[in-house]
Amino acid sequence: LELQSEVPEPKHPRGGVWLFVAGRWARVVGLPRGSGVIAGTSCRSLAHLQALRGAQVVRHEIRKHYHAVSGTLEEPGLLRVDREAMHPENAGLIFYNAMD
């Protein structure tokens, strides 16, 4: 599923996708194609992008504008985190609960 909107709406619009497969889910969001250092550059790898644009610049943009998380669909409307990029402490937390 393509991400259409976020609540609350972020300062910088982002694009992304949701994937749901056999009781598992993942959500990856970032700046829309063509904007920013990462989405505005075509490279063969992260290492290549960091060599071209600078490792600190790329890391800063990843931390500020990108988010990746995956987990388990415990029941319809209840998503639990298994892994979240740069936030291992969030494993086991509820990411979304339709009852809230």
Side-chain angles (χ1 to χ4, degrees), residues 84 86-93:
E84 186 170 351
M86 295 181 275
H87 295 285
E89 71 277 7
N90 289 346
L93 296 179

Side-chain angles (χ1 to χ4, degrees), residues 45-66:
S45 68
L46 177 60
H48 188 239
L49 178 62
Q50 289 176 331
L52 286 173
R53 302 293 184 152
Q56 279 190 321
V57 170
V58 172
R59 280 190 227 120
H60 174 73
E61 187 171 289
I62 288 171
R63 285 187 186 101
K64 186 172 182 178
H65 298 291
Y66 289 82

Side-chain angles (χ1 to χ4, degrees), residues 9-72:
E9 189 172 325
K11 183 177 178 181
H12 300 282
R14 300 188 299 178
V17 294
W18 284 89
L19 300 171
F20 293 90
V21 178
R24 308 272 308 144
W25 62 273
R27 178 180 183 253
V28 180
V29 295
L31 293 175
R33 183 177 294 163
S35 61
V37 173
I38 297 167
T41 307
S42 180
C43 282
R44 65 178 169 231
S45 68
L46 177 60
H48 188 239
L49 178 62
Q50 289 176 331
L52 286 173
R53 302 293 184 152
Q56 279 190 321
V57 170
V58 172
R59 280 190 227 120
H60 174 73
E61 187 171 289
I62 288 171
R63 285 187 186 101
K64 186 172 182 178
H65 298 291
Y66 289 82
H67 183 241
V69 60
S70 65
T72 305

